[in-house]
Amino acid sequence: MKIDELIQDAMRRMDRSVESAHGDFNTLRTGRASTALLDRVQIDYYGQKTPLNQLATINVPEPRLLTIQPFDPNSVSAIERAIQESDLGLTPSNDGKVIRLPIPQLTEERRKELVRVVRQMAEDGRIAVRNVRRDVMHHLKELVTKGEVGDDEERRAEERVQKLTDDHTHKIDDLLKHKEAEILEV
């Protein structure tokens, strides 16, 4: 039946939106070193934008230090430049072979800024979920106009889609609460 297919598709797309928001949250710095911090960093490598993790080995030797060992020693300066230009607020240093990235303690101001960023990411995730709902509601209306489903079926389907939307926005809110607590933890 078309309604069930629409709802299954909506569920898959909403799940992806929640996973995407969760992935975005993991790229934010919380005062602890994590290789996920560098997931968004793109390096201009021979004219191609390339993710850092494809150009180097990234390790966490200490809780407040990341080391980046490029596969190509000539790319050290490009990697350093990309990290400095990113919104991470980190200052890399290198010895020609390995880039060290100390993770400083977060200031109160930086914590508040990160909370704002994480809230915006959460809002983007919620918007993505609501866009899926809007698409499905539009398709349901089309089915009714074509006469393929009745008004009662449409209303029940809309309620199921709304419940899915609510569930997924709650998941994003829970992830947000967890991430905010992690950022504000001193």
Side-chain angles (χ1 to χ4, degrees):
M1 174 164 211
K2 288 208 187 266
I3 288 179
D4 289 335
E5 290 169 17
L6 274 175
I7 290 178
Q8 286 300 318
D9 179 54
M11 193 153 149
R12 267 194 307 276
R13 289 168 57 199
M14 286 180 186
D15 285 343
R16 268 197 307 255
S17 297
V18 171
E19 286 169 24
S20 173
H22 188 240
D24 288 347
F25 289 172
N26 286 338
T27 64
L28 275 182
R29 181 157 90 81
T30 58
R32 264 187 235 112
S34 160
T35 58
L37 287 177
L38 301 172
D39 283 355
R40 291 182 302 171
V41 177
Q42 301 273 321
I43 286 76
D44 191 358
Y45 190 65
Y46 293 107
Q48 276 304 341
K49 285 286 185 192
T50 312
L52 175 58
N53 57 11
Q54 291 179 13
L55 295 176
T57 305
I58 304 169
N59 289 311
V60 186
E62 300 169 22
R64 294 187 136 350
L65 180 71
L66 287 171
T67 58
I68 303 160
Q69 186 154 21
F71 303 130
D72 174 7
N74 298 328
S75 65
V76 168
S77 61
I79 291 173
E80 258 190 324
R81 196 172 326 106
I83 291 170
Q84 286 170 337
E85 290 170 1
S86 73
D87 60 355
L88 293 172
L90 299 175
T91 310
S93 64
N94 80 67
D95 61 11
K97 291 186 174 91
V98 177
I99 298 171
R100 285 180 177 64
L101 206 53
I103 311 290
Q105 192 74 14
L106 292 175
T107 63
E108 191 61 35
E109 185 180 317
R110 182 70 176 142
R111 286 178 201 279
K112 287 178 179 158
E113 189 180 314
L114 286 173
V115 167
R116 272 197 302 280
V117 170
V118 89
R119 284 183 179 153
Q120 183 56 51
M121 288 175 168
E123 185 54 30
D124 293 345
R126 287 190 289 262
I127 288 170
V129 168
R130 289 194 298 264
N131 286 342
V132 172
R133 179 191 63 193
R134 190 192 60 222
D135 290 350
V136 172
M137 296 296 197
H138 177 74
H139 288 304
L140 286 170
K141 295 260 187 277
E142 282 180 352
L143 289 176
V144 171
T145 334
K146 291 178 185 169
E148 293 180 33
V149 294
D151 286 340
D152 290 345
E153 284 178 288
E154 180 206 13
R155 217 171 351 280
R156 277 194 296 275
E158 283 179 355
E159 287 171 8
R160 287 171 61 192
V161 170
Q162 186 57 50
K163 183 172 177 358
L164 265 180
T165 304
D166 293 343
D167 291 347
H168 284 81
T169 52
H170 285 308
K171 284 180 189 172
I172 290 174
D173 291 341
D174 290 344
L175 290 171
L176 172 64
K177 264 190 221 124
H178 180 76
K179 190 64 179 185
E180 277 185 358
E182 202 176 295
I183 289 171
L184 295 172
E185 166 192 323
V186 180

